Amino acid sequence: MFDPIVQHRCEAVHSFVHIPDNNPDAPWRAVIAVHSTRRGPALGGCRFVPYQSGDDALQDALRLAQGMSRKAALAGLDLGGGKAVIMMPEGVFDRQALFRWFGHCVERLSGEYITAMDAGTQVEDMDEIFRHTRHVASHSQIGDPSPHTARGVWQAIRYVLHEVLGLAPTKSRVAVQGLGHVGMLLTQHLLDNGVQVVVSDVNSDRCQQAQSMGASVVAPEQILQQKVDLLAPCALGGVIHAGNLDELNCQAIVGAANNQLEDADCGRELHQRGIVIAPDYLVNAGGLVFASGRYQGWSDERIAAQIDSITEHLGDLLRQSQQRDIAVNVLADQLADEAIAAGHYQPATHDMGKEALWSL
Ligand code: NAD
């Protein structure tokens, strides 16, 4: 049981079970993986999807928790990383009661873990959790993080276009894959700044909306091959893989989607080919900065300044990647792991959000 936990260098894993009186054959099961609290309390979303087994749920929680530690560390936040997964029970269940129970689970950790929205959870679920614990960073009083993610990604794109490729926005062409919460707002930022934008989404209504804003639309299977200066993946993970590297027709890749590269080798190959990539978990950290900042009671100015600093971190990283001839994704993981190891957080101060939260 300890092997995967050791493998992911995870500090702690908490398992919770509840047997509902009205359906004892469908127990509620949740795992909270606390990857690291060396820089601060472990923040990360709560995933609520079906899993084949408890082992699968644990693996997912461990992998995602490590990613959250790296994301917070690279963005310069005094936060650790964690992740919760709730295995979706079979059959009928009382959703509100389930998230009430989960709220109590989070509360039992006394702030060591701060939860947030993730795949399968909604803001109403977070509001239910928030009735039972204050350690929640994405309830409705905090608001939607997507505009902040989109802003951070836009700033990173502007930086790469201007500082790395030497292009003014008005002379640039960008392809956006995915027009969801982040992709649509990013498209708006790009168009507002005179960038030529080509987009795709599997949802035709969203394509039409982007077209009415001034973007051109191509079929989803054509977006990666577009001849553009920069590609912005904002839909799914694993979109760049060994099988489609030859089809890419861009000089840089900067987008919101998590885990855009199928694996680290893909990043090494892009580095060899001279295609600039921005680590996804750095450039999409605007939403995390916003949510954790609101949780801690930061002012809007402080949140905005911290999001602005993402671009400085990106600049440092791209320079080091060039100087040391190391693929930027590999370097990002290294630097994030060093920053996590160097953390000096004192767990006794887990209560940092208390005063601020009630004034939100
Ligand atoms: P979303 O679910 O709102 O949007 C995703 C969009 O991608 C949808 O419009 C969907 O129709 C489209 N899509 C799906 N498959 C596609 C395909 N094959 N081709 C083109 N489009 C396709 O998600 P979001 O909140 O906008 O997030 C986008 C990505 O950014 C995700 O990977 C998410 O994990 C990541 N991210 C989001 C945030 C945030 O603040 N929302 C923060 C960090 C990372």
Side-chain angles (χ1 to χ4, degrees), residues 44-45 69-70 101 109 118 126 191 208 212 230-231 249 253 255 283 293 295 304 326 335-336 352 356:
S69 288
R70 285 178 168 166
W101 164 74
L109 302 186
D118 200 278
M126 296 296 127
L191 291 167
Q208 264 177 20
S212 69
L230 185 146
L231 171 68
N249 211 345
I253 302 174
V283 300
Y295 174 83
I326 302 178
L335 295 181
M352 66 176 189

Side-chain angles (χ1 to χ4, degrees), residues 74-98:
L74 212 59
L77 295 171
D78 291 331
L79 282 176
K83 206 81 179 186
V85 301
I86 307 175
M87 296 174 71
M88 190 175 280
E90 283 174 19
V92 179
F93 59 90
D94 179 340
R95 188 169 181 120
Q96 192 180 0
L98 185 142

